[in-house]
Amino acid sequence: GQQLNQSPQSMFIQEGEDVSMNCTSSSIFNTWLWYKQDPGEGPVLLIALYKAGELTSNGRLTAQFGITRKDSFLNISASIPSDVGIYFCAGQETGRRALTFGSGTRLQVQP
Amino acid sequence: SAVISQKPSRDICQRGTSLTIQCQVDSQVTMMFWYRQQPGQSLTLIATANQGSEATYESGFVIDKFPISRPNLTFSTLTVSNMSPEDSSIYLCSVDARGGSGYTFGSGTRLTVV
């Protein structure tokens, strides 16, 4: 099935730094979603994007739905220790209700 | 968004046995999905659970190994049959509660097969 390329695989940053991660696909997606997963928990939805070009914020998080509908990015500004976790992008293709997930970005924040 | 209760949260099972995982949602939902997350990996869709009809399985997953029930619009079960250590994973239930905009996940079932 469709694969999403997510990068980077991991990041180790200092508290207060900004972070950026992105996902690309070879086909068009109708919806892009960004999730965070903490150890022992299921993924929690951070931001959902529904239109090409859409830019949406949720607190210190900002995500954009690429104009080509084949990519999306997530920015985290002024990182804090509780931002630690694994971030996944996910997309929904035309005619398919289930989500396809990226490989994840593991974020570590040094206090 | 919908609230999902998934159980058990974890289990350690013997090789060759089966485990049934339950997913209960606090509202009626059209579609429920079952995902597997192998250690250190991303989420892979196992199947879509349809109310009133058979589940739709993804390539690489078969009904004999992962039978699914969906008796009503708020409940589903996934059984992992004849388990082997390779089945050790986190199994996650997800629902699409608002026509594509409300994908929510349960907290998962961490399965270890010994």
Side-chain angles (χ1 to χ4, degrees), chain A residues 21-74:
Chain A
M21 57 193 79
N22 70 84
C23 269
T24 60
S25 72
S26 57
S27 60
I28 289 172
F29 280 73
N30 296 322
T31 302
W32 282 96
L33 305 165
W34 285 92
Y35 287 87
K36 181 184 181 220
Q37 187 176 30
D38 292 325
E41 300 292 328
V44 174
L45 183 64
L46 299 173
I47 293 180
L49 303 158
Y50 309 110
K51 286 196 229 180
E54 180 180 355
L55 184 71
T56 297
S57 292
N58 178 7
R60 294 178 295 107
L61 279 61
T62 301
Q64 184 158 30
F65 191 143
I67 288 290
T68 64
R69 296 169 67 189
K70 294 183 179 181
D71 64 308
S72 177
F73 72 76
L74 174 71

Side-chain angles (χ1 to χ4, degrees), chain B residues 16-100:
Chain B
T17 63
S18 297
L19 176 72
T20 295
I21 301 167
Q22 299 180 1
C23 180
Q24 178 75 53
V25 190
D26 69 344
S27 58
Q28 293 186 337
V29 294
T30 307
M31 307 193 85
M32 297 177 78
F33 307 96
W34 288 98
Y35 289 83
R36 181 177 73 182
Q37 186 175 27
Q38 294 177 300
Q41 302 295 312
S42 184
L43 284 75
T44 300
L45 182 68
I46 298 172
T48 302
N50 307 303
Q51 196 269 330
S53 63
E54 265 196 12
T56 306
Y57 289 83
E58 296 297 299
S59 175
F61 297 95
V62 295
I63 188 171
D64 289 346
K65 176 67 175 177
F66 297 101
I68 286 171
S69 78
R70 180 83 196 274
N72 56 54
L73 292 174
T74 63
F75 186 78
S76 178
T77 67
L78 169 76
T79 298
V80 186
S81 303
N82 188 24
M83 289 183 285
S84 67
E86 292 71 35
D87 294 320
S88 298
S89 293
I90 300 172
Y91 293 85
L92 294 144
C93 168
S94 175
V95 301
D96 172 12
R98 289 181 292 162

